Amino acid sequence: SLMSGLTQATAGLDFAVKNQNAKTIGIISDNGGLGKELAANAQKLAATLGIKVVSVQEFQVGATDMTPQLLSLRQAKPDVVLHTGSVPKDGGTLIQNLREIKWTPTIVSMMFGQSTVQVVNVSGPDSFTSGTYWGLVPKAFTYCASEKVGSRTYDRYLAKLKAFNPGAFDKIDHKVALYVYDPIFVWKTAVEGA
């Protein structure tokens, strides 16, 4: 994910309060910089919103088992679990481990929204059937009030992406590709000259 931990904590808590009526949260994030930043900021922000943080759990980047952390979270009984990580496959591992312990908490995760394809590649096509996992995506990816669906900037981006490599289009995460799409053209222009 390329959004800061502060941005993710702010959006996640806002969604948890406004859409899930959360009074308590648990946090699970990796031990990388982004995960640590989200955990620290979520705890500070939660206090200002009157939300009680009942558990904060951390896993190793690239972990293959998050069961101990998830069992601790489950025992704390949060209304909502706030999640982030640095590696999309960790989101898939999280869902796999939740399935193994038969727990379907309400989770708010930027990773689930931004890296859906990579998460599903690890945890399977039924990863989001519980209906309790919320993946947030920046509004700029999907919305511009003056544009109609089909003629939006995002739709034009998708058409160019598909035209570039039709066989790979369904295999890549279109939202994550956005992060490298524009910079590639900036570099191309710089190398070739304006």
Side-chain angles (χ1 to χ4, degrees), residues 53-76:
V53 178
V54 294
S55 181
V56 178
Q57 299 295 315
E58 185 177 273
F59 58 88
Q60 183 80 25
V61 173
T64 57
D65 186 11
M66 300 171 195
T67 304
Q69 293 91 336
L70 293 172
L71 290 172
S72 291
L73 274 172
R74 181 168 69 182
Q75 187 174 8

Side-chain angles (χ1 to χ4, degrees), residues 158-176:
L158 290 176
K160 285 181 182 180
L161 191 62
K162 187 170 188 173
F164 178 74
N165 189 340
F169 184 76
D170 291 330
K171 297 175 186 173
I172 63 170
D173 191 316
H174 310 133
K175 295 175 297 299
V176 172

